Amino acid sequence: MSVFIRLGEDETEVSWDEFEARVRAGRVPDDALIREATLTGDAWRVASSIELYTSLRDDPAAEWTRRYEHAGPPLATALIVGINIRLFWLARLGPIRASLVDALAAHPSLVFEDGQGWRLLTMGVLQTEWLHALFNMIWLAYVGWSVERAYGWRNMVAVYVGAVLGGSVLSTVFTTSGAPSIGASGGVFGLIAAAVVFGLRFPHLLPERARLRFGFAMLPYMVLMFISGFTNEDTDNLAHLGGLLVGLALGVALAPVGLETHNRRDVGVRAAVWALAVAAVFAPRLVGPHIVRLQEAPNADVVHEVPVGWRPGRT
């Protein structure tokens, strides 16, 4: 069953399902001419005069689609990419590179023994190798732009921060190498996962040319990137997995910007992400391990070399 849509001199033939999807998304204007055997017979009718058309129209969804198509520059994505690139260039300077890694990398012992929880977040904006930085920034710019336009900049930042945090926590808790972890890969995987979820949940909102950025179109890239990590022993696959899982969860929990029935819930989801980020910064220092002072011989000169986050205490 085909539906014919005429806009000016252009005439398009679409399936019934595609016609319904276009109407719901506002991609069939009110003044378009429609011809379909069961609706109009052999005649052309103005879309707004067809009862089925008016019942299918979803004005909030149509408004979202118009905003998506005319969205401005992705400022939040540009800011995150800019921070990563500037830190990368600083890391190209020999002495500064070591200082940045020492200060920002997520090293398990420094996080859990010294209480330096900020590393769980700062590791997501630091790259030191060319290829690592290049691929991360290409994907971050590409998919970050898509997610920012779809979910809104606040939700996009929440996905990135949550995915970086999820990846770094999984990595530092379960890693056996003890090596420090850096890179935006966890955040990138989270954004790709969110783009996949968006395309599967809201395909009717997306203009046809934008669908290559979401849903099943992005799924092969996500799977291949995740699998390829196992071919390099230096890849932090736990960070990838953590970011991916958080991105999937937030992609389900969050909604397209501007759909008011959902956006009130988004406020709570974003607040939860930021609360977890703050907790991650302070929790290791508050609940981390403490030195246990043992009974010492009188006048003994004992020096305890312990992590700076440890404090004397009693059990």
Side-chain angles (χ1 to χ4, degrees), residues 175-247:
T175 187
T176 57
S177 67
S181 179
I182 59 172
S185 302
V188 169
F189 268 91
L191 291 172
I192 294 176
V196 170
V197 172
F198 186 94
L200 299 180
R201 290 179 65 200
F202 306 105
H204 62 285
L205 295 178
L206 293 166
E208 189 168 350
R209 66 178 181 274
R211 295 180 184 178
L212 292 177
R213 292 174 170 266
F214 298 91
F216 285 119
M218 293 296 293
L219 189 58
Y221 297 104
M222 184 178 74
V223 173
L224 288 174
M225 288 170 63
F226 184 73
I227 293 176
S228 67
F230 291 98
T231 64
N232 187 341
E233 61 182 14
D234 294 327
T235 300
D236 190 345
N237 292 296
L238 287 171
H240 292 181
L241 177 61
L244 187 152
L245 293 176
V246 171

Side-chain angles (χ1 to χ4, degrees), residues 113 284-293 309-315:
E113 295 179 1
R285 181 168 293 276
L286 296 176
V287 301
H290 299 275
I291 188 171
V292 177
R293 289 185 65 88
W310 287 25
R311 296 290 183 269
R314 302 181 66 178
T315 62

Side-chain angles (χ1 to χ4, degrees), residues 51-86:
E51 184 178 354
L52 177 65
Y53 171 87
T54 57
S55 66
L56 288 174
R57 276 293 297 266
D58 185 343
D59 289 334
E63 179 60 26
W64 183 93
T65 302
R66 282 192 288 271
R67 281 201 303 269
Y68 179 91
E69 291 182 309
H70 299 93
L75 299 180
T77 299
L79 177 62
I80 295 173
V81 171
I83 292 171
N84 275 270
I85 290 177
R86 282 161 177 77

